[in-house]
Amino acid sequence: MHSALGSLIYKERRRLGFVVFTAFLAGVLFYLQSPVFVGGIHISLITGAIYALVVGVAALVVCIVFPAMRFMIEAIAISRLMLSLFVVCVPHLGFQILANPLLTALLVVSGGILVSRVLHGRILRDGPRWRTPWDNRWRERVPARVQGTPAQHRRVGWFDDHMPIAA
């Protein structure tokens, strides 16, 4: 089981690396304008590191436990980064959004849904794949079925480490 889990983490390395990097960048941008320092380190760097750690662990859990949702991980990461850029560009409105966690989550998730459609196209469910026992899901990944443009197929193939099946 450990080798299967290590293999899964290796297969998801691109997605996890992208998500951790964008989470760190979003955390830095969210608090970039704050004047607070902790131990001589700006709070934005500390927040970015915490975001990267928490989001990275959550992304890994999603890839392991809910493999069908793995395509939403990078879309939500891009959505979070877009919101952080909005906070930097329009701070008086951005900080009001950040002060409301429910609104922040709603914007990030709904933005992730829109970004996923643009980034991936339409990812279709594959019947037998959803009935695969849990231990087999760790060992092998069936290529995704994607209904989209060639560019969307390449993106999905890059993140998934193998090309999807055209639907």
Side-chain angles (χ1 to χ4, degrees):
M1 180 167 127
H2 293 292
S3 64
L5 186 59
S7 175
L8 176 76
I9 292 170
Y10 180 76
K11 288 177 185 173
E12 297 294 344
R13 71 191 182 282
R14 293 177 182 165
R15 178 175 286 118
L16 294 173
F18 177 79
V19 168
V20 167
F21 174 73
T22 56
F24 175 78
L25 192 55
V28 168
L29 291 175
F30 276 140
Y31 294 93
L32 191 60
Q33 297 175 353
S34 175
V36 178
F37 286 84
V38 176
I41 300 172
H42 195 266
I43 192 70
S44 65
L45 295 174
I46 295 170
T47 305
I50 292 170
Y51 268 47
L53 178 69
V54 171
V55 169
V57 169
L60 180 60
V61 168
V62 167
C63 287
I64 293 170
V65 179
F66 304 108
M69 291 185 62
R70 70 187 186 275
F71 298 102
M72 284 301 295
I73 295 172
E74 64 263 12
I76 288 179
I78 292 170
S79 175
R80 185 183 317 107
L81 185 60
M82 289 170 35
L83 179 61
S84 69
L85 289 171
F86 179 79
V87 169
V88 169
C89 293
V90 189
H92 62 280
L93 184 59
F95 288 126
Q96 291 176 352
I97 292 171
L98 283 180
N100 185 341
L102 185 61
L103 180 60
T104 302
L106 179 70
L107 288 173
V108 169
V109 172
S110 59
I113 292 169
L114 295 174
V115 167
S116 177
R117 192 53 78 121
V118 172
L119 190 68
H120 304 118
R122 185 165 182 222
I123 298 179
L124 304 173
R125 291 189 176 186
D126 203 16
R129 178 172 150 190
W130 303 104
R131 291 187 290 272
T132 307
W134 284 100
D135 58 342
N136 287 345
R137 289 184 188 191
W138 289 8
R139 289 191 190 103
E140 64 182 69
R141 281 273 161 84
V142 177
R145 289 182 47 218
V146 176
Q147 192 175 36
T149 65
Q152 291 169 327
H153 281 254
R154 283 191 302 273
R155 271 188 233 110
V156 170
W158 188 82
F159 278 118
D160 236 13
D161 207 16
H162 55 275
M163 290 307 291
I165 299 169

